[in-house]
Short mmCIF file of all heavy atoms in Angstrom, two decimals:
data_model
loop_
_atom_site.label_atom_id
_atom_site.label_comp_id
_atom_site.label_asym_id
_atom_site.label_seq_id
_atom_site.Cartn_x
_atom_site.Cartn_y
_atom_site.Cartn_z
N GLU A 265 52.02 -73.97 -35.53
CA GLU A 265 53.04 -75.02 -35.06
C GLU A 265 53.70 -74.72 -33.69
O GLU A 265 53.95 -75.56 -32.96
CB GLU A 265 54.19 -74.98 -36.10
CG GLU A 265 53.92 -75.98 -37.39
CD GLU A 265 55.19 -75.99 -38.08
OE1 GLU A 265 56.16 -76.49 -37.61
OE2 GLU A 265 55.02 -75.64 -39.37
N THR A 266 53.87 -73.39 -33.47
CA THR A 266 54.59 -72.94 -32.13
C THR A 266 53.83 -73.39 -30.98
O THR A 266 54.35 -73.80 -29.88
CB THR A 266 54.81 -71.47 -32.12
OG1 THR A 266 53.64 -70.79 -32.14
CG2 THR A 266 55.70 -71.04 -33.29
N LEU A 267 52.48 -73.47 -31.15
CA LEU A 267 51.65 -73.87 -29.98
C LEU A 267 51.59 -75.49 -29.91
O LEU A 267 51.74 -75.99 -28.72
CB LEU A 267 50.16 -73.42 -30.20
CG LEU A 267 50.10 -71.81 -30.30
CD1 LEU A 267 48.61 -71.45 -30.56
CD2 LEU A 267 50.59 -71.17 -29.00
N PHE A 268 51.42 -76.12 -30.89
CA PHE A 268 51.36 -77.58 -31.01
C PHE A 268 52.64 -78.26 -30.61
O PHE A 268 52.70 -79.41 -29.98
CB PHE A 268 50.79 -78.15 -32.25
CG PHE A 268 49.32 -77.86 -32.33
CD1 PHE A 268 48.75 -76.95 -33.12
CD2 PHE A 268 48.44 -78.72 -31.68
CE1 PHE A 268 47.40 -76.74 -33.29
CE2 PHE A 268 47.07 -78.56 -31.75
CZ PHE A 268 46.53 -77.64 -32.50
N ILE A 269 53.83 -77.53 -30.95
CA ILE A 269 55.18 -78.20 -30.57
C ILE A 269 55.26 -78.36 -29.02
O ILE A 269 55.75 -79.36 -28.52
CB ILE A 269 56.29 -77.18 -31.22
CG1 ILE A 269 56.43 -77.45 -32.76
CG2 ILE A 269 57.59 -77.68 -30.50
CD1 ILE A 269 57.43 -76.58 -33.32
N LEU A 270 54.68 -77.28 -28.37
CA LEU A 270 54.84 -77.25 -26.93
C LEU A 270 53.94 -78.35 -26.26
O LEU A 270 54.34 -78.77 -25.18
CB LEU A 270 54.46 -75.93 -26.30
CG LEU A 270 55.38 -74.69 -26.64
CD1 LEU A 270 54.74 -73.47 -26.04
CD2 LEU A 270 56.76 -74.98 -26.00
N ALA A 271 52.94 -78.75 -27.05
CA ALA A 271 52.10 -79.87 -26.57
C ALA A 271 52.57 -81.11 -26.77
O ALA A 271 51.97 -82.12 -26.21
CB ALA A 271 50.64 -79.65 -27.19
N ILE A 272 53.55 -81.39 -27.50
CA ILE A 272 54.08 -82.66 -27.95
C ILE A 272 54.58 -83.49 -26.74
O ILE A 272 54.14 -84.70 -26.60
CB ILE A 272 55.20 -82.57 -28.98
CG1 ILE A 272 54.68 -82.25 -30.38
CG2 ILE A 272 55.95 -83.85 -29.05
CD1 ILE A 272 55.64 -82.00 -31.39
N PRO A 273 55.33 -83.01 -25.75
CA PRO A 273 55.77 -83.87 -24.72
C PRO A 273 54.59 -84.39 -23.87
O PRO A 273 54.51 -85.55 -23.60
CB PRO A 273 56.56 -82.92 -23.82
CG PRO A 273 57.07 -81.97 -24.81
CD PRO A 273 56.01 -81.77 -25.79
N PHE A 274 53.48 -83.56 -23.68
CA PHE A 274 52.39 -84.08 -23.04
C PHE A 274 51.69 -85.20 -23.77
O PHE A 274 51.36 -86.38 -23.22
CB PHE A 274 51.35 -82.92 -22.66
CG PHE A 274 50.03 -83.35 -22.23
CD1 PHE A 274 49.82 -83.75 -20.82
CD2 PHE A 274 48.99 -83.48 -23.03
CE1 PHE A 274 48.57 -84.21 -20.39
CE2 PHE A 274 47.63 -83.87 -22.67
CZ PHE A 274 47.46 -84.26 -21.33
N PHE A 275 51.37 -84.91 -25.00
CA PHE A 275 50.59 -85.88 -25.86
C PHE A 275 51.38 -87.12 -26.03
O PHE A 275 50.77 -88.16 -26.03
CB PHE A 275 50.20 -85.25 -27.20
CG PHE A 275 48.94 -84.39 -27.10
CD1 PHE A 275 49.03 -83.08 -26.77
CD2 PHE A 275 47.68 -84.96 -27.32
CE1 PHE A 275 47.85 -82.28 -26.70
CE2 PHE A 275 46.54 -84.21 -27.25
CZ PHE A 275 46.62 -82.83 -26.97
N LEU A 276 52.66 -87.00 -26.35
CA LEU A 276 53.47 -88.18 -26.58
C LEU A 276 53.59 -89.07 -25.35
O LEU A 276 53.50 -90.45 -25.44
CB LEU A 276 54.94 -87.87 -27.01
CG LEU A 276 55.76 -88.77 -27.81
CD1 LEU A 276 54.94 -89.22 -28.99
CD2 LEU A 276 57.13 -88.26 -28.18
N ARG A 277 53.69 -88.51 -24.14
CA ARG A 277 53.79 -89.28 -22.91
C ARG A 277 52.40 -89.87 -22.60
O ARG A 277 52.20 -90.98 -21.99
CB ARG A 277 54.36 -88.49 -21.78
CG ARG A 277 55.96 -88.33 -21.96
CD ARG A 277 56.50 -87.96 -20.63
NE ARG A 277 57.92 -88.04 -20.66
CZ ARG A 277 58.74 -87.05 -20.85
NH1 ARG A 277 58.38 -85.75 -20.90
NH2 ARG A 277 60.07 -87.29 -20.82
N LYS A 278 51.36 -88.99 -22.79
CA LYS A 278 50.03 -89.44 -22.42
C LYS A 278 49.37 -90.59 -23.32
O LYS A 278 48.76 -91.49 -22.94
CB LYS A 278 49.11 -88.22 -22.36
CG LYS A 278 47.76 -88.42 -22.00
CD LYS A 278 47.46 -88.78 -20.54
CE LYS A 278 46.03 -88.81 -20.07
NZ LYS A 278 45.86 -89.09 -18.66
N PHE A 279 49.55 -90.41 -24.62
CA PHE A 279 48.83 -91.19 -25.57
C PHE A 279 49.87 -92.16 -26.40
O PHE A 279 49.33 -93.20 -26.82
CB PHE A 279 48.12 -90.37 -26.56
CG PHE A 279 47.01 -89.55 -25.91
CD1 PHE A 279 47.21 -88.01 -25.71
CD2 PHE A 279 45.90 -89.97 -25.40
CE1 PHE A 279 46.26 -87.37 -25.14
CE2 PHE A 279 44.83 -89.23 -24.87
CZ PHE A 279 45.09 -87.83 -24.73
N GLY A 280 51.00 -91.80 -26.48
CA GLY A 280 52.01 -92.57 -27.26
C GLY A 280 51.86 -92.11 -28.76
O GLY A 280 51.01 -91.48 -29.16
N ILE A 281 52.93 -92.77 -29.43
CA ILE A 281 53.10 -92.34 -30.83
C ILE A 281 51.88 -92.77 -31.71
O ILE A 281 51.52 -92.05 -32.64
CB ILE A 281 54.44 -92.89 -31.42
CG1 ILE A 281 54.72 -92.42 -32.84
CG2 ILE A 281 54.45 -94.45 -31.44
CD1 ILE A 281 54.95 -90.90 -32.85
#
Side-chain angles (χ1 to χ4, degrees):
E265 274 190 57
T266 63
L267 301 176
F268 283 104
I269 287 176
L270 291 176
I272 285 175
F274 168 78
F275 277 88
L276 202 56
R277 286 198 166 101
K278 178 73 173 177
F279 300 103
I281 188 65

